[in-house]
Amino acid sequence: VIALNLVLIGIEADASYAQQKDHLPWAYVTERLFFFIYCFEALLRFIAGSNIFKDIWFFTDMMLITIAFVALWILPLTVGNSADGVEKLLLVRGVRLLRLVRALRMFKHFKVMWRLVHGLISAGQTIISTTVLILVSLFVFSCMAVELIAKDDKLNEITETKKIIDEHFSGIGPSMVTLMQFVTVDSVAAIYFPIIINQPYLCLFFLLIIVVISIGLMNLVTAVVLENAMESAVQEAEEERSSLKCKVKEAIPELLKIFVKIDKDESGIISRDEMASVHENVLPRRLMDSACVGSILDFFDFLDVDEKGELTQEEFVEGLLNLCLLEMPIHAIQTLKLLHLTVNICRKIDQNLEVLRARTLGSIPDKGTNGDVCSPGLLWPQES
């Protein structure tokens, strides 16, 4: 709806300019139609809950609706035809495009776009500071330009440079506007080239402007904006981690309830037979989709990496959390479980080797301290 509204705004502006008319019949109808749609949306959001009063986007929408209401109905009734110019306020509706981008932030392809828009909004203070700094710098260089260029007798005697001085350096205002071109390096050669040819020492002045404003200041601004964007990204990542922790805390009791439902013998371990006896609806559909499995037994096999035919409560809950909340691929979960299994096997091997070493030295009996029986066929190499 927002995108269509913006397209119609552009068509209306183009058509009104081409026809030299302030009002178009179809634009009159569509404008009021969109107004009622936005009012209905705001009403639904108000009914939905009280969290809207903490959302700045809701207040932005309400401000736009208020402007449209005043421009479409209140002012025409109070001041008549003279309110036609007030309808230009409706161009503020274009701000709703930012809300459209916000709505699309959940899609992977628009995530970068949202970060750019959010970075631009969060860099408002930096942009204002940059504007003030540029204006101050231009004012200082404009004063220098008036002293060094406008008051130079030799330049005023030459017709070509005299014309440039009268047009570009006749005062502080024209000088600032002229030097503004140096910020973007916009066709400045025609200005400084004749002056430098006649007064070579002024090349240091123009070089200083280019180095300080065009290169140094603009690169510094880029660095500050980039730093703000990185800080915003870090803050967003922290918020996502905090949100994930809250989701995990909320999900663990539900997952424990699911485990209790499946564990019918209350042994604390889910067997393959117990998993096969329950209906697939006991698990959330998102879990089945995340694991890309067709049946609940296939899901059990994914979690049962060591193929023991049973799942402990810890293995069950951890596997579901990784699949559902952490969005970890199933092969990564299996790899982690296999690594844990490998570590446990290596520990047992180390324990058995220690037992064999002790047996070879004759310090302990055939059984280890943990009750593991040593393999009689294994021999420990003779120590030097």
Side-chain angles (χ1 to χ4, degrees), residues 97-200:
L97 178 61
L98 297 178
R99 189 170 176 272
L100 173 65
V101 177
R102 179 178 179 267
L104 297 176
R105 66 174 297 192
M106 300 306 296
F107 295 91
K108 238 178 230 182
H109 300 290
F110 294 95
K111 193 172 184 181
V112 176
M113 184 190 301
W114 163 249
R115 286 182 177 176
L116 292 175
V117 175
H118 186 268
L120 181 62
I121 295 174
S122 61
Q125 183 178 359
T126 303
I127 294 174
I128 295 175
S129 302
T130 302
T131 304
V132 173
L133 183 58
I134 291 176
L135 292 177
V136 171
S137 302
L138 291 177
F139 178 78
V140 173
F141 281 109
S142 297
C143 295
M144 296 174 62
V146 171
E147 294 292 332
L148 297 176
I149 300 175
K151 295 181 179 181
D152 189 280
D153 296 333
K154 182 179 178 180
L155 295 177
N156 282 287
E157 292 175 357
I158 302 173
T159 305
E160 184 181 8
T161 54
K162 173 65 175 175
K163 184 179 179 181
I164 294 176
I165 291 174
D166 294 338
E167 184 177 354
H168 298 286
F169 299 103
S170 58
I172 298 297
S175 298
M176 288 188 65
V177 175
T178 301
L179 296 181
M180 184 70 72
Q181 296 179 240
F182 283 83
V183 177
T184 57
V185 196
D186 181 20
S187 303
V188 294
I191 298 174
Y192 67 76
F193 185 76
I195 296 177
I196 293 177
I197 290 297
N198 293 279
Q199 290 289 18

Side-chain angles (χ1 to χ4, degrees), residues 270-284:
I270 296 178
S271 64
R272 184 180 176 86
D273 295 335
E274 288 178 329
M275 183 70 81
S277 63
V278 299
H279 196 269
E280 292 185 358
N281 293 334
V282 71
L283 292 177

Side-chain angles (χ1 to χ4, degrees), residues 5-149:
N5 190 192
L6 291 171
V7 171
L8 291 179
I9 289 175
I11 296 175
E12 176 188 355
D14 186 67
S16 62
Y17 175 78
Q19 300 178 17
Q20 296 298 321
K21 293 180 181 179
D22 293 330
H23 296 286
L24 298 172
W26 61 268
Y28 180 87
V29 175
T30 55
E31 182 55 46
R32 283 147 182 81
L33 176 62
F34 281 112
F35 174 78
F36 286 116
I37 292 175
Y38 294 145
C39 289
F40 182 67
E41 177 205 8
L43 179 62
L44 290 180
R45 294 182 63 192
F46 179 78
I47 297 175
S50 59
N51 290 332
I52 57 174
F53 296 107
K54 300 178 181 179
D55 188 4
I56 189 174
W57 294 97
F58 176 76
F59 290 103
T60 302
D61 291 341
M62 293 302 300
M63 180 188 69
L64 296 173
I65 291 174
T66 304
I67 293 175
F69 178 75
V70 172
L72 290 174
W73 280 283
I74 302 299
L75 289 178
L77 292 176
T78 56
V79 295
N81 294 330
S82 61
D84 293 342
V86 182
E87 290 194 357
K88 294 181 180 179
L89 289 174
L90 296 179
L91 294 177
V92 183
R93 295 170 303 181
V95 178
R96 293 180 67 87
L97 178 61
L98 297 178
R99 189 170 176 272
L100 173 65
V101 177
R102 179 178 179 267
L104 297 176
R105 66 174 297 192
M106 300 306 296
F107 295 91
K108 238 178 230 182
H109 300 290
F110 294 95
K111 193 172 184 181
V112 176
M113 184 190 301
W114 163 249
R115 286 182 177 176
L116 292 175
V117 175
H118 186 268
L120 181 62
I121 295 174
S122 61
Q125 183 178 359
T126 303
I127 294 174
I128 295 175
S129 302
T130 302
T131 304
V132 173
L133 183 58
I134 291 176
L135 292 177
V136 171
S137 302
L138 291 177
F139 178 78
V140 173
F141 281 109
S142 297
C143 295
M144 296 174 62
V146 171
E147 294 292 332
L148 297 176
I149 300 175

